[in-house]
Amino acid sequence: MQAASDKVILTAAVTGAIHTPTMSPYLPITPEQIADDAVKAAEAGAAIVHIHVRDPQTGKPTPDIELFRTVLTSIKKRSDVIINTTTGGGMGMTPQERLKVVPAFKPELASFNMGSMNFSTYPLLQKYKTWKYDWEKPAIEATKDYIFRNTFASMEEFCKAMKENDTKPELECYDAGHIYNANKLIMDGLLTPPVHIQFVLGILGGIGPAVEDLVTMKTTADRVIGPENYTWSAAGPGRFQFGCGITASRMGGHVRVGLEDNVYLKKGVLAKSSGEQVARIRELIFEITGRESATPDEARAMLHLKGRDKVAY
Ligand code: KMH
Ligand code: ZN
């Protein structure tokens, strides 16, 4: 039996806000589909599920609290998986709309984006020529002129809400500067170490998905924040998802997969669910590194989470 501390925490980000219904018929849209996929991903070995919600009629990302409530309660009834709610939301949502899930549900874990940036997916326009819904193409086009807003003023507001609701933030760092932003919030006493960081590699507007990019992020975090002051995971949106996951697991980190970041299982094969990707990465990591995947309770202990009896859903 492997020591729990050596295990790898797998996260499944099941729907997100980047992909649109045209890109995969398997992208979960309704609250029932999102909850079902989250439960399946947990059964496949995910200790954490990262949750966004979408308008059930159109598949457009929304900050609707009642949709979140339906998804969170449905997952909690069926699984002890850790639920990580997004506070990144999607394009066009204000920081305040994005943050509402934290006071509303007091989740164990929530994403917290560490800086303003260009966040663009417009190269996808070359790949898809016809669209299922009218909103999809303009939304992807608009990412060319989009700034994902996470100023210090709004980050301070997010820190305060997370502290008040005892929600552990997962610090989404898309570039080296974001690690310095996180450290500024630690130095100001607004974030308490050990913090949990998600290195997101390969978003257009952030650092790339190469091995060297992950090494840069990790060595920067070691130098600036200190290895004893953080735990970490990596996500590689797009076709680098599995490669990033393998690299991160070999470096001792944790790993995120899911249809939020990549709709494929392998080249040319759409993933039928995030659970399929979890099963694949779990097997690859075990084969290559010998690391087993952590259970939700092992992950709770590793990340110092408050427990699922202390959430408000
Ligand atoms: N969209 C991902 C690349 C969030 O939800 O706050 C990162 C993310 C952010 O999951
Ligand atoms: Zn997300």
Side-chain angles (χ1 to χ4, degrees), residues 49-236:
V49 290
H50 170 69
I51 300 295
H52 292 240
V53 290
R54 294 176 182 264
D55 179 326
Q57 309 310 329
T58 64
K60 193 173 179 184
T62 162
D64 188 296
I65 284 293
E66 292 315 312
L67 290 172
F68 268 108
R69 191 186 311 281
T70 307
V71 174
L72 304 189
T73 49
S74 169
I75 298 170
K76 191 181 177 200
K77 260 190 221 139
R78 293 184 279 160
S79 171
D80 69 343
V81 70
I82 297 163
I83 299 180
N84 166 347
T85 54
T86 182
T87 70
M91 209 173 47
M93 300 176 202
T94 64
Q96 289 69 30
E97 285 175 318
R98 289 158 32 197
L99 184 58
K100 276 190 307 192
V101 287
V102 170
F105 302 116
K106 305 183 187 302
E108 290 184 84
L109 190 63
S111 68
F112 181 3
N113 293 271
M114 281 292 105
S116 300
M117 61 187 288
N118 293 338
F119 194 119
S120 295
T121 58
Y122 66 87
L124 286 170
L125 290 169
Q126 288 161 13
K127 191 165 172 187
Y128 303 95
K129 294 300 166 206
T130 55
W131 301 86
K132 220 175 199 164
Y133 296 100
D134 289 347
W135 67 270
E136 296 178 70
K137 189 175 179 209
I140 303 289
E141 279 169 343
T143 66
K144 198 163 193 174
D145 197 28
Y146 172 57
I147 296 171
F148 185 27
R149 187 182 163 82
N150 298 290
T151 62
F152 278 105
S154 84
M155 289 195 290
E156 286 194 3
E157 201 184 327
F158 279 45
C159 286
K160 201 165 156 269
M162 301 241 184
K163 267 216 157 97
E164 277 170 11
N165 293 287
D166 201 7
T167 293
K168 176 131 182 182
E170 176 189 86
L171 310 180
E172 313 297 319
C173 292
Y174 303 78
D175 220 326
H178 294 173
I179 295 163
Y180 288 83
N181 293 352
N183 195 51
K184 165 75 178 142
L185 297 170
I186 294 170
M187 290 297 130
D188 289 347
L190 296 166
L191 291 176
T192 309
V195 294
H196 183 56
I197 299 180
Q198 180 84 258
F199 298 127
V200 186
L201 306 170
I203 292 289
L204 182 56
I207 203 167
V211 171
E212 289 83 349
D213 294 313
L214 179 53
V215 171
T216 298
M217 295 296 273
K218 166 85 168 58
T219 49
T220 304
D222 284 349
R223 182 168 52 78
V224 174
I225 295 180
E228 67 289 1
N229 291 325
Y230 78 103
T231 50
W232 67 280
S233 170

